[in-house]
Amino acid sequence: MFKRFAVYFTPQGALADKGAAWLGWDIASGCAADHPNIAGLDLAGLTATPRKYGFHATIKPPFALATGTDVAGLSQALARFCTQFAPVTLDGLQVAQLGGFLALIPTGDQEQLNHLAGEAVMRLDRFRAPPTAEELARRRASHLTPQQERNLREWGYPHVLDAFRFHMTLSGRVKQPKQILPAVAAHFAEVLPQPFLIDSLTLAGERHDGMFEALQRYALAG
């Protein structure tokens, strides 16, 4: 049923509902969600690129399963992993511009969060099939730094480990993101958590229609 898998953080409650409505896709239910009407904003166009992934933060980026592995083994490994790591508490979340797109990013000390993500990338890597030549070429077209190139060769994705930055993508690339930022901030203002607790990880799968849906949530219980 699924082409690729990923390990995400996916929020619950009001924040999850706001994120699903903003993107137009509910990753928890695997169904489309209705956009809010925001004057002067083409929300469907603005969110077209990140919609397929759902409202999430990437912990281990999407990958095809390696030969000799299966989703049952991946699920069991992720479940074991989550028993070994404690929840992470950060000061909060804020809307920010990252390059040419908008995202929610955490505030506060992120050392524990970065460690969690790095360990997930490394410990679950035996389930990842090597990227195809097409995937490598597409990644390299964005002019990777030497650090990112090493990550791509070693872990199949440039923005992991020392190049990791936790974020929840809210838009594709836009020419003037600062003009849109107030509308984004207003949409999420009432649901941004302070403090911000990461207490679980989600195994997500990419369906054959290209949309991601949550398969299983595992509590961080270390």
Side-chain angles (χ1 to χ4, degrees), residues 75-98:
S75 298
Q76 292 168 4
L78 180 56
R80 287 194 300 270
F81 176 87
C82 288
T83 66
Q84 299 168 4
F85 288 84
V88 177
T89 302
L90 298 111
D91 292 349
L93 276 177
Q94 64 181 8
V95 178
Q97 176 185 341
L98 294 180

Side-chain angles (χ1 to χ4, degrees), residues 7-84:
V7 179
Y8 287 163
F9 166 74
T10 57
Q12 302 179 75
L15 177 59
D17 293 342
K18 282 283 189 178
W22 179 264
L23 292 179
W25 179 255
D26 186 342
I27 190 173
S29 65
C31 297
D34 293 332
H35 289 299
N37 293 317
I38 301 177
L41 198 62
D42 175 15
L43 195 50
L46 181 68
T47 60
T49 299
R51 181 174 304 119
K52 62 174 284 186
Y53 300 99
F55 187 52
H56 78 284
T58 299
I59 301 299
K60 184 168 180 61
F63 57 92
L65 286 175
T67 301
T69 67
D70 56 29
V71 66
L74 173 60
S75 298
Q76 292 168 4
L78 180 56
R80 287 194 300 270
F81 176 87
C82 288
T83 66
Q84 299 168 4

Side-chain angles (χ1 to χ4, degrees), residues 128-148:
R128 177 184 62 84
T132 64
E134 180 182 0
E135 290 172 326
L136 290 172
R138 179 167 55 86
R139 296 295 181 194
R140 287 167 173 153
S142 59
H143 307 294
L144 302 179
T145 66
Q147 172 194 57
Q148 292 167 343

Side-chain angles (χ1 to χ4, degrees), residues 89-154:
T89 302
L90 298 111
D91 292 349
L93 276 177
Q94 64 181 8
V95 178
Q97 176 185 341
L98 294 180
F101 66 96
L102 299 172
L104 295 180
I105 63 171
T107 59
D109 184 359
Q110 297 173 42
E111 181 177 357
Q112 186 181 359
L113 172 58
N114 293 342
H115 176 69
L116 172 69
E119 289 296 312
V121 165
M122 294 186 290
R123 295 194 190 192
L124 299 172
D125 204 56
R126 64 187 177 92
F127 293 96
R128 177 184 62 84
T132 64
E134 180 182 0
E135 290 172 326
L136 290 172
R138 179 167 55 86
R139 296 295 181 194
R140 287 167 173 153
S142 59
H143 307 294
L144 302 179
T145 66
Q147 172 194 57
Q148 292 167 343
E149 174 64 28
R150 286 194 301 271
N151 288 338
L152 178 64
R153 292 197 307 267
E154 185 72 18

